[in-house]
Amino acid sequence: WENSHLLYDSSTRINALEILEFIQDLQQEIGKYPYEKNVEIGFSAGVSLIQVDDSFRRFSDFFDRADKLLYKSKAEGKNMINF
């Protein structure tokens, strides 16, 4: 299991539905790739959105929240997404 992180600039004004659609599209593309030795690869995600009025203020708080959601997704099975 490897962990990676995607960060979006808040000026893009991307919303939760767009992030969900992006992750689902990425999951599909990764699943379609013809890996050697018939290996199936997928991924789960934990997503933390930063809101202007959020009680969290430090980047590390958002990162920690996303990390906890990622591990929740992994515990739920393959290709899961939690916000």
Side-chain angles (χ1 to χ4, degrees), residues 9-69:
D9 182 343
S10 62
S11 65
T12 62
R13 303 214 184 261
I14 192 166
N15 64 40
L17 181 58
E18 291 170 318
I19 292 171
L20 178 61
E21 290 171 352
F22 172 78
I23 292 171
Q24 290 172 331
D25 289 346
L26 193 55
Q27 286 174 327
Q28 288 178 352
E29 290 301 313
I30 288 171
K32 290 190 301 188
Y33 188 82
Y35 297 98
E36 294 181 21
K37 299 182 183 180
N38 295 326
V39 174
E40 290 184 27
I41 296 181
F43 71 92
S44 295
V47 179
S48 179
L49 301 174
I50 299 173
Q51 305 294 329
V52 174
D53 59 347
D54 205 316
S55 61
F56 293 118
R57 292 290 180 229
R58 297 180 314 213
F59 175 77
S60 61
D61 293 333
F62 297 103
F63 187 86
D64 289 345
R65 183 166 61 184
D67 196 50
K68 287 176 184 169
L69 290 167

Side-chain angles (χ1 to χ4, degrees), residues 1-3 5 44-46 64-77 82:
W1 296 69
E2 294 294 327
N3 294 338
H5 303 88
S44 295
D64 289 345
R65 183 166 61 184
D67 196 50
K68 287 176 184 169
L69 290 167
L70 170 61
Y71 282 97
K72 180 179 183 217
S73 294
K74 286 181 174 184
E76 291 175 359
N82 277 288

